[in-house]
Amino acid sequence: MIQTSLKDQRDTDKARLLKAIGSKGKKITVIVGLSKNAGKTTFLNWLLEQTTFSQKGVITTGRDGEDLDVLEKVKKPKVKIPQAAIFTARASEVSKKSGFLHVLEKLPFKAGGQDIWLVKSDTSLETEIVGPPSVSEQIETARKILSYGVEHIFIDGSLDRKAISSAWDVDSLIVTGSPMYGNLARLKRGFKRLHDLTKIKGFHEVFPENLRMQLLQDEHIKVGTFKNKTRAEIELTTLAFKTLLGHEKEIAGIIRVKGKELSFLYIPTSITEKSFLLLKSLIQELDNLQIVVKHPFHLQLEDQSSSWLRHKNVLLTLKKMDIAGMVINSYAVNGNHLDCEHFRSAIRTDFALPVIDVMEIG
């Protein structure tokens, strides 16, 4: 009976995750890891096999499917590309697989000093893939792939405010974690920190869409103030600063002058722990003030500070963050393995999201 129940849970979580990815309008899913060697490639291969999109695209934000991990010197799985999928590769890899794919075009980007080619598989194959280093290049590559009629793109990415995971075009994240990140308590904190970011309310849920577009016009800090006593309209003012760092006193002075007329402060760059002290004092002084970030990953704060802001219910984000599911891997290449049953149970107990063990997808 217990075994049947566990199997039902595993099957349900798999189905829930696949349904979340396939939701209407979603085009790009990024797989990210709390650390290296967390099972991203293994899970990417499972997604490429299990999803039913008519045509799929695959990108990595560096190099994936190589024979050995450069740092850990451990064997890595190849990327299993399905038939008719479009992906990015170096010329050397294209030559090796010349009978199994055809070239679509050479991209205007390089990886490791080598040209990147956009190719389409004529049959299922196992290969190495590469991708451009910058977020703007990765997004341009994704858009290029979509222009070929691809229904959904999977990206092997990373967690960072300057990484593809925080890009505007990304629809969903899948987060992987293994003991390479730390013990079970640290893994749970890592998953929770990301899950908490998904709870930040979207700017569009409070303010008109056209106002959100105005905030995105440039990378300057902006403030929104009420035009009149009815507070029905918001006036936007662009400040001379792009970051809080080094300008805390000037920005605080401007905000305090506006006082009760102020609706929100928009910060397009990161909020650090040092900047948090400024925000905390302003929020305590001004009841109406809301803090708007471009993406939840721009909150570069200690857990306690981030929690304080969330609990004050003053945070808004221009881009909502969505996590389709969590993937766990109890094996660690450094030998610090976790008990898989206990690991699975602990994460499934703490989170309502789909939780899948890479050991359960073989």
Side-chain angles (χ1 to χ4, degrees), residues 330-349:
S330 58
Y331 176 81
V333 297
N334 61 7
N336 295 327
H337 316 308
L338 288 175
D339 178 81
C340 57
E341 291 290 346
H342 182 51
F343 192 6
R344 286 194 293 260
S345 176
I347 301 302
R348 283 178 175 144
T349 298

Side-chain angles (χ1 to χ4, degrees), residues 146-300:
L146 289 172
S147 74
Y148 279 93
V150 164
E151 194 175 355
H152 200 92
I153 298 175
F154 295 100
I155 302 178
D156 186 324
S158 59
L159 284 169
D160 190 276
R161 69 183 179 87
K162 295 182 179 179
I164 188 70
S165 49
S166 65
W168 194 265
D169 298 56
V170 171
D171 298 301
S172 296
L173 300 181
I174 294 173
V175 185
T176 67
S178 83
M180 290 295 290
Y181 182 71
N183 60 22
L184 181 57
R186 187 162 190 264
L187 278 160
K188 289 169 72 173
R189 289 196 300 272
F191 279 126
K192 183 179 185 301
R193 177 178 60 83
L194 294 175
H195 187 245
D196 285 344
L197 295 180
T198 68
K199 300 175 184 178
I200 299 174
K201 187 181 293 184
F203 184 82
H204 63 282
E205 299 174 54
V206 181
F207 297 99
E209 178 65 17
N210 68 312
L211 193 56
R212 180 168 70 157
M213 292 301 102
Q214 290 180 53
L215 292 178
L216 287 168
Q217 285 179 356
D218 58 55
E219 291 297 313
H220 284 81
I221 292 175
K222 299 177 179 67
V223 292
T225 52
F226 298 110
K227 280 189 174 182
N228 48 51
K229 292 182 179 180
T230 64
R231 301 193 171 189
E233 294 183 71
I234 301 291
E235 182 177 45
L236 205 59
T237 303
T238 300
L239 305 187
F241 318 106
K242 292 186 177 182
T243 176
L244 289 176
L245 288 174
H247 307 292
E248 289 89 352
K249 290 184 179 180
E250 298 101 312
I251 292 171
I254 292 170
I255 290 172
R256 288 191 174 98
V257 167
K258 293 184 178 294
K260 297 294 184 180
E261 297 176 0
L262 193 66
S263 173
F264 63 80
L265 168 66
Y266 169 61
I267 304 162
T269 52
S270 62
I271 299 178
T272 64
E273 192 67 23
K274 180 181 179 182
S275 299
F276 168 71
L277 297 177
L278 161 69
L279 298 178
K280 187 174 184 179
S281 63
L282 292 173
I283 291 166
Q284 290 171 326
E285 289 178 37
L286 305 170
D287 296 335
N288 298 315
L289 180 63
Q290 291 182 291
I291 306 300
V292 183
V293 294
K294 191 173 185 179
H295 189 281
F297 279 153
H298 284 226
L299 292 170
Q300 304 291 302

Side-chain angles (χ1 to χ4, degrees), residues 113-133:
Q114 297 186 42
D115 292 328
I116 302 175
W117 295 83
L118 200 60
V119 296
K120 184 176 180 180
S121 57
D122 294 327
T123 184
S124 300
L125 56 91
E126 295 186 0
T127 188
E128 174 186 308
I129 62 176
V130 298

